[in-house]
Structures are given as C-alpha cells and as structure tokens.
Amino acid sequence: MSRAIGYAAQSAETPLATFHFERRDLRPDDVAIDILYCGVCHSDLHQVRNDWNNTIYPSLPGHEIVGCVTAVGSDVTKFKVGDMAAVGCIVDSCMKCEPCCEGQEQYCSHLPTMTYNGKDRRDDSPTYGGYSDHVVVRDLFVLKLPDGLDPERAAPLLCAGITTWSPLRRWRVGPGSRVAVAGLGGLGHMGVKLAAGLGAEVTVLTTSPSKEKDALALGAHKVLITKDRPAMKQAARSFDLVLDTIPVAHDVQPYMHLLKVHGVHVIVGAIEPLPSVHSMLLVAWQRSLAGSMIGGIAETQELLDFCAAKNILPETETIAIQDINHAFERMERSDVKYRFVIDMASLKQELSAEAAATA
Ligand code: NAP
Ligand code: ZN
Ligand code: ZN
C-alpha cells in the first residue's frame, strides 16, 4: 500500500478537508499516476452533498484527472514511466457484457466501477477520486494525453468534454446540424466548443443574459435567453438536438418545442425526477427524449485526439485545493468561467509542510 493524501468530506454537512488514506499496491495490470491537475465537476458537489442519496463517506471526489505515470504493473505495455496520462469517471467494468464489448463501458450491464464513490471489483475497497496526490488505475481505463494538449486545461475533457462529446457523436452532429446547448457551465461550454468543432450551427440557451458575449466567443452562433418567451416562441421547431446540461430538475417542455421533426432532447444534467411531459410534444413530430452518461474509453480517447488536432480546450480557472469549498459555493451560484481546475502542487505543498512539522 502507498500512503496518499487528498481532500474529502466526512458527511453531507461538512466541508472538504485534508484526508490521509492508502492506495493499493500495483497489480500486474495497474498504472500509478502522480496527479498534476484535477477538474471540478458539478457532480463532485452533488456527490459530497449526497444529492443522489448514495454517497459513501468519506467522499473524496474528482474524475477529471491528468498526471504523469510513475510506475506500471508487470503486464502493462501501453504506458511507461514518464508518460502523460488521464483518467475520467470510470476505472473498471466487467469487459465481457454487450455494452463493454461495444466500447460503452459506462453502460456495463454489471455497472462500471466509478472513479470515486465506487467499490473496487477485486477487493471491494472504496474508490477515491482525483482530489488527491496520486492514483492507481487498471491500464485499460487510463487514457493517453496527446502531445500538445495543455495538461491543465485538458483536465475537464475527462468528464465535461466526454459527456457532451458522446451524445454529439451518437446523434451524428456535423455540418448542417443545428444544436442548442442548455446551460452554459462546465458541460455546456464544452458542448458549444465541440458541436462548433464538428461543424454544427450552435445556439446557447441560457438563464444568464450576462453570458451572451462569452457564448459567442466560445463559438456559438446565437444565444437565446430562456426567460425571453417571444424569442423562444420564434425559435420553435428549429433544432435537431437540444443538449440539456441544466443541473437541477426542470420542465423540459419549453425546450422540446424548439425541436424539429425527428429532433432529440438529450438530458445529461439533472439526474432526478422531472416534471411530466405532454406526449403530444413527442408524438406529433416524432421527437425523442433521451439521456446520456459520460462516454466509453475509446470515445474518450477519440475526443482527446480530436481536441489536440483541432486545438479545442476548456476555459479554466486554476485553484489551490485549499480553496475547494469556496469553489463549490461559486459553482452553486453559476459563478465559474467555465471550469475550476485544481493545481495539485498545492496539495503536495501541504504534504511537505506536514512532513516538516512532524520531523
Ligand atoms: P455547472 O458548471 O454548474 O453548469 C450548470 C449550468 O446550468 C449553469 O452554469 C447555468 O447556466 C445552468 N443552470 C444552473 N442552475 C440552473 C437552473 N436552476 N435552471 C436553469 N439553468 C440552470 O455544472 P456542470 O459541471 O456543467 O454539470 C451540469 C450537470 O451535469 C450537473 O448536474 C452534473 O452532475 C451533471 N453531469 C452529468 C454527467 C453525465 O454523465 N450525464 C456528467 C457530468 C456532469 P446558465 O447560466 O447558462 O443558465
Ligand atoms: Zn463529472
Ligand atoms: Zn460490462
């Protein structure tokens, strides 16, 4: 076992604070990664607050991990010490079921092992995420960070990026597609950049008129303020896909009115009961209401390579880990442009200071 340090919450009511724990010894198919950066996802906040009633405490979040390989198990051939690597939301799955065989490990019939708030498939130990100094992960679930991708800004691609990329690919967005992205936060701003990068015409649907200028700078062609009813009415039946990243329960009907015939409203944000939908909104135009969860390992690598080739990167604000609770408060107020990334040097300084104090 190796000693590790991170930031964890001990209950839904307590802030994140320094937490000492152990990472497993390397198995033959494991990769050890020194974590350099970790993005801050709204799911981290949902999880530590127990919004989904399934949190295992201590809760140590973080699933947008970028770092450097420090050791590899005896069977690992894909990575060597010194490689830049990345880890997203899942760290294992059965690799035998139909979704796994199709490269959709996130939909594993036996459930994937989540990077945090999960249980290791082999020894049942709790999984702890990337708000920590290092991590040990099965090689098949480690991504290669392409050369030329800034490691700090790339971190949010591992969740915000892949969660928006997967539905854009699933519903074949490309030149000629008209895509609306609802909610301009961590996920939403990546949805805009990626849809625009794929050649679509992109509109942002936002509750924040102050974000209009940013939306256009991110690559959106138009902005609709969702409270502006006449503008929403005018946009009726004009989109092929609505990518809905809103993090709380909401009425999807005003958004479904915006879909063309065969249009798809895909929910990636709210994971909770939603107000009911009048089926006429689906039936009359053969529309679909769909959902999507993160993405598979191969498509995450495809996304990283696409972003490297097209020079697409998240907009980030770097924080020290000691500021994480304040960052959560700001995220709750939608006050983040557009993803916080923790510089893990701040955690390592804390560790050195602790060591000096006890010496
Ligand atoms: P975020 O950075 O906080 O962004 C959410 C955005 O939604 C806000 O910036 C805001 O944009 C809009 N919004 C916030 N509250 C709203 C409300 N009450 N009504 C309407 N719009 C509201 O969050 P995120 O990290 O992008 O995550 C978004 C959601 O996706 C979270 O619930 C997260 O748990 C979930 N998620 C799901 C997956 C998956 O696999 N499906 C993966 C990652 C995250 P405007 O100011 O533009 O309105
Ligand atoms: Zn996430
Ligand atoms: Zn499986």
Side-chain angles (χ1 to χ4, degrees):
M1 300 282 231
S2 56
R3 292 185 56 191
I5 181 174
Y7 264 56
Q10 299 293 338
S11 76
E13 289 78 35
T14 49
L16 296 190
T18 310
F19 173 61
H20 293 272
F21 62 107
E22 289 184 327
R23 295 285 190 193
R24 66 173 180 257
D25 287 331
L26 243 61
R27 297 169 182 151
D29 57 347
D30 272 342
V31 175
I33 298 167
D34 175 48
I35 301 176
L36 298 173
Y37 299 102
C38 185
V40 178
C41 178
H42 205 116
S43 298
D44 301 347
L45 179 57
H46 284 310
Q47 196 72 68
V48 298
R49 298 270 169 85
N50 197 22
D51 287 348
W52 297 321
N53 292 314
N54 68 350
T55 305
I56 306 163
Y57 293 98
S59 175
L60 197 164
H63 55 206
E64 293 182 339
I65 300 169
V66 170
C68 183
V69 173
T70 53
V72 296
S74 53
D75 293 349
V76 175
T77 52
K78 198 173 127 194
F79 293 95
K80 58 179 188 326
V81 172
D83 284 350
M84 290 299 293
V87 178
C89 304
I90 53 176
V91 287
D92 207 355
S93 71
C94 86
M95 298 306 279
K96 291 189 178 99
C97 70
E98 200 175 314
C100 281
C101 291
E102 288 170 353
Q104 297 280 287
E105 301 88 353
Q106 76 277 29
Y107 303 126
C108 174
S109 306
H110 304 282
L111 301 181
T113 306
M114 306 312 285
T115 303
Y116 63 84
N117 208 61
K119 287 253 190 271
D120 181 78
R121 300 183 106 72
R122 300 187 210 176
D123 67 13
D124 222 28
S125 60
T127 57
Y128 293 124
Y131 295 7
S132 57
D133 62 339
H134 73 285
V135 68
V136 176
V137 179
R138 184 179 178 189
D139 59 350
L140 294 178
F141 290 78
V142 180
L143 290 309
K144 280 184 179 285
L145 194 75
D147 287 342
L149 259 196
D150 176 343
E152 182 169 355
R153 289 185 63 192
L157 296 176
L158 279 304
C159 176
I162 185 59
T163 302
T164 48
W165 176 254
S166 184
L168 293 174
R169 298 289 282 159
R170 169 76 181 76
W171 282 286
R172 297 192 169 83
V173 165
S177 309
R178 298 188 74 191
V179 175
V181 177
L184 194 64
L187 266 58
H189 96 289
M190 283 317 301
V192 171
K193 287 194 178 214
L194 295 171
L198 286 166
E201 186 188 303
V202 186
T203 296
V204 166
L205 309 175
T206 180
T207 60
S208 310
S210 62
K211 292 183 183 171
E212 186 163 357
K213 224 171 122 188
D214 280 2
L216 298 174
L218 291 165
H221 304 87
K222 287 185 198 146
V223 179
L224 265 177
I225 310 300
T226 48
K227 288 170 211 150
D228 183 344
R229 283 174 170 236
M232 289 288 276
K233 208 171 165 188
Q234 212 180 8
R237 295 192 291 282
S238 54
F239 298 105
D240 300 293
L241 187 78
V242 171
L243 186 56
D244 180 349
T245 77
I246 297 168
V248 291
H250 58 283
D251 183 4
V252 297
Q253 296 182 115
Y255 300 91
M256 295 206 67
H257 278 290
L258 303 179
L259 292 172
K260 295 201 274 198
V261 176
H262 309 312
V264 180
H265 181 112
V266 58
I267 293 169
V268 294
I271 303 172
E272 55 190 305
L274 297 178
S276 64
V277 174
H278 196 304
S279 64
M280 186 57 99
L281 279 172
L282 302 165
V283 172
W285 290 274
Q286 204 174 49
R287 294 167 172 142
S288 308
L289 179 57
S292 189
M293 190 177 81
I294 47 174
I297 296 301
E299 63 181 339
T300 306
Q301 191 64 59
E302 176 194 65
L303 163 72
L304 293 174
D305 296 342
F306 177 83
C307 289
K310 292 248 180 189
N311 199 23
I312 293 175
L313 281 170
E315 300 301 316
T316 57
E317 178 179 337
T318 308
I319 60 164
I321 197 151
Q322 293 79 9
D323 295 330
I324 186 61
N325 294 301
H326 181 54
F328 275 174
E329 281 168 31
R330 283 185 53 196
M331 184 187 267
E332 259 187 320
R333 299 196 300 264
S334 297
D335 175 24
V336 44
K337 288 187 170 178
Y338 279 87
R339 198 61 143 187
F340 292 118
V341 172
I342 304 165
D343 181 351
M344 226 44 82
S346 56
L347 180 61
K348 289 160 195 167
Q349 275 160 12
E350 191 173 314
L351 191 60
S352 317
E354 265 183 25
T358 53

